[in-house]
């Protein structure tokens, strides 16, 4: 199953339905049931000790999965998270971060997958999330 939206269309649609995220997240690659979504973690994303906060990392995982799902199902703003679990594995550095999203099952009602989060300058993923989304009726 090929994506039904392009990278540019996914980015434009996210900016339309979630304007508060404008300029924060960017889908840079989209393949069947896979996407890469970038985030630049700035000063507002840090917690004491100079590491990127857990809520920022979770937001990247959630937004990344949403963007990958939109790429596969089209403009369905009401696709929503129904379950999420995240494991923090390494200390991320401020700066460039990205999510590699894999949708393992794209059903009529649910989409299930994983998100690996990476941080520039850190070897290996800094977090891994398991995500389940509700797919709105078409």
């Amino acid at each position: 199953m090929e994506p039904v939206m392009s990278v540019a269309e996914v980015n434009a649609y996210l900016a339309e339905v979630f304007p508060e995220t404008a300029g924060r997240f960017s889908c840079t690659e989209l393949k069947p049931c896979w996407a890469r979504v970038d985030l630049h973690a700035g000063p507002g994303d840090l917690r004491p000790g100079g590491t990127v906060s857990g809520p920022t990392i979770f937001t990247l995982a959630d937004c990344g999965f949403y963007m990958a799902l939109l790429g596969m199902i089209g403009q369905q703003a009401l696709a929503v998270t129904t379950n999420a679990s995240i494991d923090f594995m390494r200390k991320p550095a401020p700066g460039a971060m990205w999510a590699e999203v894999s949708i393992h099952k794209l059903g009529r009602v649910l989409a299930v997958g994983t998100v690996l989060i990476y941080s520039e300058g850190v070897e290996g993923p800094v977090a891994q999330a398991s995500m389940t989304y509700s797919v709105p009726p078409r």
Side-chain angles (χ1 to χ4, degrees):
M1 174 180 207
E2 290 296 315
V4 297
M5 294 177 75
S6 69
V7 166
E9 290 169 330
V10 167
N11 287 323
Y13 189 64
L14 184 72
E16 177 186 324
V17 294
F18 288 107
E20 62 276 13
T21 66
R24 200 162 147 74
F25 302 97
S26 176
C27 182
T28 57
E29 205 173 335
L30 194 54
K31 299 176 188 175
C33 291
W34 190 91
R36 176 181 162 142
V37 176
D38 293 355
L39 163 74
H40 181 81
D45 298 311
L46 304 182
R47 57 169 297 205
T51 187
V52 178
S53 73
T56 298
I57 296 168
F58 178 81
T59 302
L60 175 56
D62 195 33
C63 189
F65 196 87
Y66 183 71
M67 293 175 88
L69 183 58
L70 289 178
M72 296 305 298
I73 66 171
Q75 295 184 1
Q76 299 285 331
L78 296 180
V80 295
T81 310
T82 59
N83 191 48
S85 172
I86 191 164
D87 298 301
F88 300 100
M89 302 183 290
R90 294 174 182 83
K91 181 180 175 180
M97 297 186 74
W98 65 96
E100 292 183 359
V101 180
S102 296
I103 300 173
H104 304 299
K105 179 186 184 285
L106 179 53
R108 197 175 38 81
V109 177
L110 294 175
V112 179
T114 53
V115 182
L116 291 173
I117 305 290
Y118 294 89
S119 176
E120 188 173 60
V122 178
E123 189 172 329
V126 298
Q128 182 261 289
S130 297
M131 307 295 295
T132 303
Y133 259 67
S134 175
V135 177
R138 297 173 200 208

